[in-house]
Amino acid sequence: MNPTPCYLNTWKRFVREGLLDRSRLNKRVMESWHRCKKANVNPYLDKGQSMLEKELFSVQKKKYSLFLDAALPYLNKISQQLKESDMMALLIDADGHVLSLTGSQKILAEASKINFVEGARWTETDVGTNAIGTALVIGEAVTINGSEHFSVASHHWSCSAAPIRDADGTIIGVIDISCMADKRHPFMLGMAATVAYAIEREVQVQQKRKEMELISHCLQQVAADEPYVVCNEKKQIVSASRPIRERFSDWYGMNVELLMDDTFVTRDKQIIQSEQDGKMLGMSFSVEEAAKSNITISFAQFPGESGTSQVFQQTLSEMKRAAQTDANVYIWGETGSGKELAARAIHHASERRKGPFIAVNCGAIPESLLESELFGYAEGAFTGAKRHGAKGKFEQAHKGTLFLDEIGEVSYAMQVALLRVLEERKVVPLGGTHEIPLDIRIITATHRNMNELLKEGKIREDLYYRLHVYPINLPPLRERKEDIPYLYRYYQKKHQWNAKFPESFFQKLQEYHWPGNIRELFNLLEHVRVLFPEGGWIGPSQYAEVLEALDQKKEKLYPAEYNKASKELTYREHIQKQMVIEALHKTKGHVSEAARLAGVPRSTFYKWMRKFKLS
């Protein structure tokens, strides 16, 4: 069965001429078509264009795990009925990504032809008017049939979708029932709305269950007389101690950041995880009035950017514990992962924060100079020595923290000297005779696991046990890619750079493996900042060259993985193809005018058309 003729003719006239017979379509579809036209959505798309890679798809499912856990049982309940009716049902998150689907094999096979599959993004801006995307925009249940869809990809489909909200009324997802247009049935919209309501109730039950577990973790602290709040993942306060309750009558549901707005500062922050599945439940904050606090002892005020990834939140928790003691800390992390920043954070959150923080890169100092650099030297200790000698890094760090980076690069002989200083807490400068007492905390770091260094005989066993008291592992950026937008925010603030990027920019960054970690990310952002120092809105065509360089690096570093995806277009090619399609659409297929509109020679335009099989 073809799309309804009257609707198809209405669609053709609107696409070609921008004219719309209002008597032919319902109001919701008309409004959506106008939105699509304004957003320059391509009506001739024959399939979905935006697909999440496997790793990003896993991150997205994790992000919406509460929604999925509540909704999947209801999807399973209607699965058999869908199969018998040649239909399918899909769960879509609030960002428009298909998270799960079920239905008859026949309909699933048809869906795959237009990329209507897991990981696809099916919003209005991606594929035009469709039940999923339109339901997300209008916040209502809606049915879109045949050529009511804006893009030809869905013209043979009938889809009914209903939004799903959490307890606050925020849309967290969509349930969609779809089939081929000739199989459509009036009950589809009712089924979608009924299932959506059932899922909403289950989500609210689970949210309340999580909230009760969260509160139960902190009953003792809430009962104390110190200012203390507990908030959920949305940073909404769900429990508070008496000083907070008396101060704010509307404390429940308040955003914790409003509480900190010139009134309180954070003394301590704790990530709270579920004992059942280990997932994050929320956070607790010990606070004090801003006027009473000269310094914030908190990893909520981590000098870098803490992000939201669970793996780095765990690292922050370990750093906080380390800051509460004076034990020697060993930080293990790849080059560029922020080891010195982590060491500084531990120092500034410790009782030694008023003392100095001295950092030494042991791998960057020649062995012949390292002893004098660390221990200092007396006057006349060697040719060229300063007249009154010089303090070494150990002495400079008195009453504070000494950070020894790349400790694995220190020679065996130097390790013996280090061990003696660590055991005696006294240092004798090179060429000197008097011992100088030390009150310092030692933090060491390497880009390799110290256990491996011990096995290979590159570090003394006695020194290992002196330094490896409290080990902390800094995760590489590839294990916390969801933090990239937050790291960008940190870079932006640090350099006062007012640049704005579309979501696709950060999605592309998350597809890369970042062997150079945060340092490599900041180098890329520095490159973009040099190109666009004034900031403002930076669109895909402007940063395409930078991201294409990432593709080239990915090809060199991971040839097997890159070759597997070699049939896919590069980022620049995606932009070129979209430019060709839009230019042809706007000029009604006139190539010379389209080339002029695209701003390229006609020969180049023809070459692109052949390359993308558009001719």
Side-chain angles (χ1 to χ4, degrees):
M1 178 178 175
N2 291 323
T4 307
C6 63
Y7 285 163
L8 184 58
N9 291 332
T10 303
W11 176 84
K12 286 179 179 178
R13 193 175 185 198
F14 181 76
V15 166
R16 292 172 181 171
E17 304 170 29
L19 300 176
L20 186 60
D21 184 348
R22 295 180 179 274
S23 65
R24 298 288 185 180
L25 290 175
N26 71 50
K27 182 184 177 185
R28 291 304 189 199
V29 174
M30 283 193 297
E31 290 172 346
S32 177
W33 279 15
H34 281 297
R35 285 194 298 270
C36 296
K37 194 83 170 178
K38 187 176 181 180
N40 291 320
V41 178
N42 177 17
Y44 300 107
L45 285 173
D46 60 356
K47 60 179 65 177
Q49 303 292 301
S50 180
M51 302 286 293
L52 288 177
E53 290 188 356
K54 184 177 180 181
E55 189 175 341
L56 287 176
F57 181 56
S58 297
V59 171
Q60 196 73 2
K61 289 181 76 173
K62 188 176 180 182
K63 177 181 175 183
Y64 287 94
S65 60
L66 176 64
F67 166 56
L68 270 178
D69 291 345
L72 281 174
Y74 292 94
L75 209 63
N76 294 333
K77 284 181 180 179
I78 62 172
S79 177
Q80 188 58 38
Q81 184 180 355
L82 294 168
K83 292 175 182 177
E84 292 171 356
S85 305
D86 269 343
M87 295 179 178
M88 64 187 293
L90 307 94
L91 291 175
I92 299 93
D93 63 36
D95 300 320
H97 293 107
V98 179
L99 298 182
S100 183
L101 47 81
T102 186
S104 74
Q105 289 303 312
K106 180 181 176 182
I107 199 71
L108 293 175
E110 288 295 323
S112 67
K113 293 177 183 178
I114 61 170
N115 282 345
F116 200 26
V117 295
E118 286 188 348
R121 192 172 62 200
W122 219 256
T123 62
E124 277 193 349
T125 54
D126 283 300
V127 293
T129 305
N130 71 92
I132 295 167
T134 304
L136 283 171
V137 172
I138 67 176
E140 299 174 6
V142 65
T143 293
I144 305 293
N145 288 313
S147 50
E148 288 180 337
H149 291 92
F150 189 74
S151 294
V152 297
S154 303
H155 274 193
H156 293 280
W157 287 78
S158 177
C159 307
S160 297
I164 298 166
R165 290 177 164 82
D166 64 9
D168 302 323
T170 303
I171 293 177
I172 56 173
V174 167
I175 174 85
D176 174 82
I177 310 292
S178 293
C179 67
M180 305 310 293
D182 59 348
K183 298 283 187 180
R184 66 178 179 264
H185 195 284
F187 75 75
M188 289 167 56
L189 184 62
M191 178 185 284
T194 301
V195 175
Y197 177 68
I199 294 171
E200 281 183 354
R201 288 194 303 171
E202 182 62 29
V203 167
Q204 291 170 18
V205 168
Q206 290 196 19
Q207 283 181 320
K208 185 57 68 175
R209 191 178 296 134
K210 282 184 66 176
E211 183 177 309
M212 295 308 296
E213 185 183 355
L214 175 62
I215 293 171
S216 69
H217 274 273
C218 311
L219 289 175
Q220 186 174 350
Q221 294 91 326
V222 170
D225 286 332
E226 296 296 322
Y228 184 87
V229 294
V230 183
C231 64
N232 58 24
E233 290 176 280
K234 291 184 177 182
K235 296 187 177 180
Q236 297 168 324
I237 298 174
V238 297
S239 185
S241 61
R242 183 175 53 79
I244 301 296
R245 297 196 305 269
E246 291 177 349
R247 184 83 169 264
F248 302 93
S249 59
D250 57 346
W251 62 269
Y252 185 83
M254 178 191 290
N255 190 299
V256 72
E257 291 178 358
L258 294 177
L259 190 75
M260 308 300 177
D261 187 16
D262 299 326
T263 307
F264 290 95
V265 293
T266 304
R267 291 184 60 252
D268 183 34
K269 172 185 172 183
Q270 180 73 45
I271 302 296
I272 302 172
Q273 295 172 307
S274 172
E275 294 178 355
Q276 298 176 9
D277 54 19
K279 293 179 181 178
M280 179 178 167
L281 293 172
M283 294 159 279
S284 65
F285 295 85
S286 292
V287 299
E288 63 184 10
E289 291 193 38
K292 295 180 180 178
S293 175
N294 295 321
I295 185 162
T296 301
I297 311 172
S298 168
F299 280 90
Q301 305 298 326
F302 176 59
E305 174 53 61
S306 59
T308 60
S309 65
Q310 188 168 334
V311 64
F312 193 63
Q313 296 303 319
Q314 180 61 37
T315 298
L316 287 177
S317 180
E318 291 174 359
M319 289 161 61
K320 188 196 74 169
R321 290 193 198 98
Q324 293 170 352
T325 74
D326 214 26
N328 291 340
V329 173
Y330 161 64
I331 301 173
W332 163 37
E334 294 181 7
T335 299
S337 58
K339 295 187 289 294
E340 182 174 337
L341 198 63
R344 286 184 183 275
I346 293 170
H347 168 75
H348 289 300
S350 73
E351 293 185 356
R352 292 183 175 272
R353 58 187 174 275
K354 294 181 181 178
F357 176 87
I358 305 296
V360 182
N361 187 335
C362 299
I365 301 173
E367 186 180 341
S368 57
L369 299 178
L370 187 58
E371 186 174 3
S372 60
E373 186 75 14
L374 291 178
F375 306 143
Y377 56 85
E379 182 175 355
F382 51 82
T383 303
K386 292 180 181 179
R387 182 177 178 184
H388 299 292
K391 287 183 178 181
K393 300 298 185 185
F394 273 93
E395 193 175 352
Q396 291 175 34
H398 185 61
K399 297 289 185 182
T401 301
L402 177 64
F403 174 56
L404 300 175
D405 197 7
E406 297 303 344
I407 190 68
E409 305 299 317
V410 174
S411 69
Y412 214 71
M414 191 65 196
Q415 289 181 33
V416 175
L418 275 175
L419 181 64
R420 185 177 65 250
V421 174
L422 292 173
E423 287 179 339
E424 298 176 1
R425 296 287 160 160
K426 295 176 183 177
V427 65
V428 179
L430 192 65
T433 56
H434 298 290
E435 292 180 332
I436 300 171
L438 300 172
D439 177 12
I440 58 174
R441 198 248 185 97
I442 305 292
I443 300 178
T444 54
T446 68
H447 68 278
R448 291 184 56 190
N449 190 327
M450 197 178 282
N451 291 315
E452 294 178 1
L453 296 174
L454 181 63
K455 290 176 183 176
E456 295 171 7
K458 293 185 177 180
I459 191 165
R460 289 174 58 97
E461 188 173 354
D462 43 9
L463 182 62
Y464 167 87
Y465 288 116
R466 279 287 181 186
L467 300 178
H468 201 267
V469 177
Y470 192 87
I472 295 175
N473 175 230
L474 278 184
L477 185 55
R478 63 180 173 274
E479 292 180 9
R480 48 177 298 217
K481 290 182 181 179
E482 59 266 49
D483 292 341
I484 287 177
Y486 299 91
L487 291 167
Y488 165 68
R489 184 177 66 184
Y490 167 73
Y491 177 90
Q492 185 186 38
K493 288 180 180 178
K494 183 178 179 181
H495 295 280
Q496 297 182 329
W497 183 40
N498 184 30
K500 296 180 179 179
F501 296 90
E503 182 185 346
S504 57
F505 175 72
F506 297 104
Q507 287 182 337
K508 191 66 179 179
L509 294 186
Q510 289 175 344
E511 292 171 10
Y512 183 57
H513 291 266
W514 300 105
N517 293 297
I518 297 172
R519 186 176 298 151
E520 184 182 6
L521 172 65
F522 285 176
N523 284 346
L524 179 137
L525 294 175
E526 188 72 15
H527 185 166
V528 181
R529 190 165 70 94
V530 169
L531 295 175
F532 308 102
E534 299 302 320
W537 176 258
I538 302 176
S541 60
Q542 295 170 289
Y543 58 70
E545 183 178 342
V546 178
L547 295 189
E548 190 169 324
L550 281 189
D551 281 331
Q552 293 169 359
K553 290 174 73 174
K554 189 175 178 181
E555 181 179 7
K556 291 178 182 178
L557 290 166
Y558 309 98
E561 180 183 321
Y562 191 87
N563 290 335
K564 186 178 179 182
S566 61
K567 293 181 180 179
E568 299 178 6
L569 301 178
T570 66
Y571 198 77
R572 173 172 288 197
E573 287 171 336
H574 273 297
I575 294 171
Q576 290 172 347
K577 182 178 179 180
Q578 194 63 30
M579 191 185 299
V580 171
I581 292 172
E582 289 179 1
L584 287 172
H585 166 57
K586 290 177 181 177
T587 60
K588 297 181 175 62
H590 195 291
V591 177
S592 296
E593 290 182 17
R596 188 161 48 251
L597 184 64
V600 298
R602 189 169 61 175
S603 58
T604 301
F605 198 85
Y606 271 117
K607 185 173 74 173
W608 286 356
M609 287 177 66
R610 290 192 298 271
K611 179 179 180 181
F612 304 128
K613 299 178 181 178
L614 297 172
S615 58

